[in-house]
Amino acid sequence: MKIRSLLAPILGVAAFFGLWELLVRVGNVPTYALRPPSQILRYLFTESTGFPRATYQTGADALKALLIALVIGLAFGALMAASRWFEEAAQPVLILIQVTPWVAYSASVVLWIGGGTKPVLFVATLVCVPAFAFASMTGLRSADPASLEVLRSVNASSWETMWRVRLPGALPSLFTAARFAVGLSLAAVYYTEGGALSNNGLGATGRKALAANAALPLWSTVFCSAILGAIALTSISVLERVLLRWHASQRRATR
Amino acid sequence: MSAETAAIRLTGVSKRFGQLLALCDISLTVRPGEFFTLLGASGSGKTTLLRIIAGLEQPTAGEVVVEGGSPADARRRKLLGWVPQSPALLPWRTVAANVQLLTQVNRSANPATTVDTSALLARVGLAGFEDALPHELSGGMQQRVALVRAFALGAPILLMDEPFASLDEITRFEMRHLLLDLWQSSGAAVVFVTHSLAEAAYLSDRVAVLTARPGRVAAIHDIASPRPRVPQLEDTPEFFANVTALRDSLRIAMAPESSVTR
């Protein structure tokens, strides 16, 4: 990788933190509201305890929710791609899930399912399913008709067609959905953890800090969540570059 | 000719799309190992006819027998090699993997002897491109991969739907020579759909000229040029005579119904 392509994002992030630091110090922001990044980093690395574990907990739950949502979404997408009738039945439900603000019902889910990790996984999975379902439906349906006919000419089974033509062809739209779902999953996990306090994730730590008016731990949870999101998106980009080597989106134009 | 010695036999085949009669009462026999061309202008239903032979489309009337069975049977037994208009390669598969695609599905119907695909690729000038992805190849190279994919089945019948239509004239010229080379050692019967007089005259044993809307067989021409045919054939008076005969036949076939004398 070129040094230039590594340097640019680092400089961008450094500039952002610098501006933040400057605004907080010059702008007279109350310390209970916002802390400069230098203090957050010092707190995270020298004073705090439990953040690595909390970050791991939140990251693992967000990843689990994403994977479960991917499996369920693929199943829904395959059924919708195969049957208009099923599509018409499932579409309004998926849209309803997509447009209903999950923050409004996540507390009720905690009351219903109970504390701990279960409600966290439930809400995060639920909110991510529609994106994967719609992406798989579109992706599976958009297979090249001529390729499908070549397979029909040797009587390939629908499973063989699915595995060899439709599913690989759906990968680009699934990756797009995954990029969108990463943020959604993290947010749902963080917020629901805050409601189900028995969990040790970042959301629970943040909620406790908020209740105690402790800005440093609160902002540390924000910081750690952002790192999780960045790791997730970078991983998706790497996977994309490997798996979608053939796709137009991954071919660099020579400038 | 008895039913056993025909690779493909069509009897009274008609096809109607709603109000439109696309094909009308077509009866044809394609012999084993024969290069048979369907020549016609666009709208003559020649692609539809090819799709009916492949069982990708059902005739409204008439009977289709392929290798002694129905087209669906032929597909089940992998007796048909289909070459579509576009190469229809899978963009994520390498050249080698695209060529092997059809032997990887419906495996139980694979023939006992396998075709050496790397030898076929080398024959069409693609040695060294086995690991290339389709987007790294030119249009002509992609279509060569599609040809090899069909020949890799070792099927007794190959159905080709204007496979060279989207290529430039120079590439088309090379492709018809390559195709004959592959075909001659395969022993397969080919049904080749085209609107190119030169392709029909260079490639075929017999050419069926189709009328338009509805498609009917106007005439069947024997192309007597000896085989193996070489590119120089296209500069001979014999070749020009064949092209002229096909053009005249096509002109009569395309004339309004009332002026056709039968």
Side-chain angles (χ1 to χ4, degrees):
Chain A
M1 198 189 270
K2 295 250 175 63
I3 293 174
R4 217 188 96 194
S5 61
L6 207 66
L7 202 63
I10 292 174
L11 278 179
V13 172
F16 172 72
F17 279 143
L19 205 66
W20 177 358
E21 187 88 26
L22 196 74
L23 275 176
V24 176
R25 287 183 185 276
V26 175
N28 223 1
V29 179
T31 52
Y32 56 82
L34 182 61
R35 292 296 183 95
S38 61
Q39 280 186 25
I40 296 169
L41 283 172
R42 195 183 314 127
Y43 172 78
L44 258 178
F45 284 104
T46 58
E47 297 161 37
S48 76
T49 51
F51 270 94
R53 239 196 89 181
T55 307
Y56 174 78
Q57 170 90 39
T58 300
D61 285 350
L63 183 65
K64 274 183 217 162
L66 272 178
L67 292 178
I68 301 170
L70 172 64
V71 172
I72 298 174
L74 260 177
F76 266 83
L79 285 169
M80 289 195 295
S83 145
R84 290 272 170 198
W85 188 87
F86 188 86
E87 183 197 347
E88 280 162 20
Q91 204 160 28
V93 180
L94 290 167
I95 289 175
L96 214 59
I97 296 172
Q98 205 168 26
V99 299
T100 308
W102 48 269
V103 286
Y105 59 77
S106 86
S108 307
V109 173
V110 173
L111 285 177
W112 166 45
I113 302 184
T117 306
K118 274 187 214 155
V120 174
L121 284 180
F122 181 87
V123 175
T125 303
L126 185 73
V127 297
C128 291
V129 163
F132 283 123
F134 288 128
S136 358
M137 178 184 78
T138 326
L140 295 174
R141 249 187 211 157
S142 62
D144 173 24
S147 297
L148 295 176
E149 238 165 44
V150 169
L151 283 191
R152 263 185 78 198
S153 74
V154 291
N155 218 44
S157 68
S158 35
W159 171 247
E160 285 169 330
T161 308
M162 171 66 100
W163 185 245
R164 305 213 182 251
V165 180
R166 290 189 185 274
L167 203 55
L171 275 181
S173 49
L174 281 175
F175 269 112
T176 309
R179 285 174 174 281
F180 167 76
V182 159
L184 205 56
S185 170
L186 262 180
V189 166
Y190 185 97
Y191 191 84
T192 314
E193 276 175 348
L197 281 175
S198 53
N199 177 298
N200 299 318
L202 289 171
T205 313
R207 184 69 63 94
K208 286 172 198 156
L210 188 63
N213 250 340
L216 269 179
L218 178 61
W219 276 96
S220 297
T221 63
V222 175
F223 196 84
C224 293
S225 309
I227 286 174
L228 279 177
I231 292 173
L233 279 186
T234 311
S235 316
I236 290 176
S237 295
V238 171
L239 262 181
E240 251 180 340
R241 200 157 299 163
V242 176
L243 290 176
L244 298 188
R245 192 165 68 94
W246 52 274
H247 195 250
S249 66
Q250 299 302 311
R251 289 183 227 148
R252 292 266 174 93
T254 40
R255 272 183 284 184
Chain B
M1 194 189 295
S2 69
E4 289 81 53
T5 58
I8 299 164
R9 181 186 293 277
L10 307 179
T11 320
V13 168
S14 297
K15 176 69 182 180
R16 191 180 274 287
F17 293 106
Q19 289 297 302
L20 177 80
L21 185 61
L23 294 169
C24 180
D25 194 24
I26 298 218
S27 295
L28 284 175
T29 302
V30 178
R31 300 167 194 141
E34 178 181 32
F35 203 113
F36 191 93
T37 295
L38 295 170
L39 178 69
S42 42
S44 59
K46 52 195 192 300
T47 294
T48 304
L49 188 57
L50 196 73
R51 295 171 58 81
I52 286 174
I53 296 171
L56 298 171
E57 201 99 58
Q58 295 307 311
T60 313
E63 195 196 13
V64 183
V65 177
V66 179
E67 289 288 317
S70 69
D73 265 344
R75 284 194 284 125
R76 218 167 287 134
R77 293 160 58 203
K78 286 179 124 171
L79 302 178
L80 301 174
W82 177 257
V83 183
Q85 241 173 67
S86 66
L89 304 177
L90 299 180
W92 52 87
R93 284 187 164 233
T94 62
V95 166
N98 262 296
V99 164
Q100 283 150 14
L101 172 70
L102 300 185
T103 50
Q104 289 168 347
V105 296
N106 186 12
R107 283 164 183 272
S108 57
N110 279 349
T113 52
T114 51
V115 178
D116 182 358
T117 52
S118 54
L120 282 184
L121 283 174
R123 287 249 310 264
V124 299
L126 287 175
F129 286 94
E130 287 85 354
D131 297 326
L133 287 170
H135 73 83
E136 296 163 334
L137 306 181
S138 69
M141 289 161 95
Q142 293 186 18
Q143 198 54 265
R144 278 183 259 167
V145 177
L147 278 182
V148 171
R149 179 182 58 198
F151 277 100
L153 281 171
I157 294 175
L158 293 163
L159 304 175
M160 308 192 177
D161 183 14
E162 301 193 53
F164 309 145
S166 60
L167 304 176
D168 62 83
E169 192 54 41
I170 300 161
T171 312
R172 296 176 72 139
F173 176 77
E174 290 166 1
M175 291 294 285
R176 34 186 194 261
H177 188 57
L178 271 175
L179 171 57
L180 275 196
D181 186 44
L182 288 175
W183 167 71
Q184 262 150 6
S185 51
S186 75
V190 174
V191 181
F192 189 88
V193 163
T194 188
H195 57 245
S196 157
L197 297 165
E199 273 174 16
Y202 183 75
L203 294 167
S204 320
D205 293 316
R206 289 192 299 154
V207 181
V209 178
L210 296 186
T211 63
R213 285 197 192 96
R216 281 196 182 92
V217 179
I220 293 187
H221 290 256
D222 281 300
I223 308 289
S225 309
R227 297 194 187 266
R229 293 179 188 165
V230 289
Q232 287 74 20
L233 172 69
E234 299 197 23
D235 303 321
T236 61
E238 177 196 2
F239 181 79
F240 286 120
N242 282 331
V243 169
T244 308
L246 289 175
R247 183 181 292 121
D248 288 345
S249 186
L250 200 56
R251 194 176 294 136
I252 296 168
M254 296 309 292
E257 195 84 356
S258 54
S259 65
V260 176
T261 48
R262 282 178 167 262

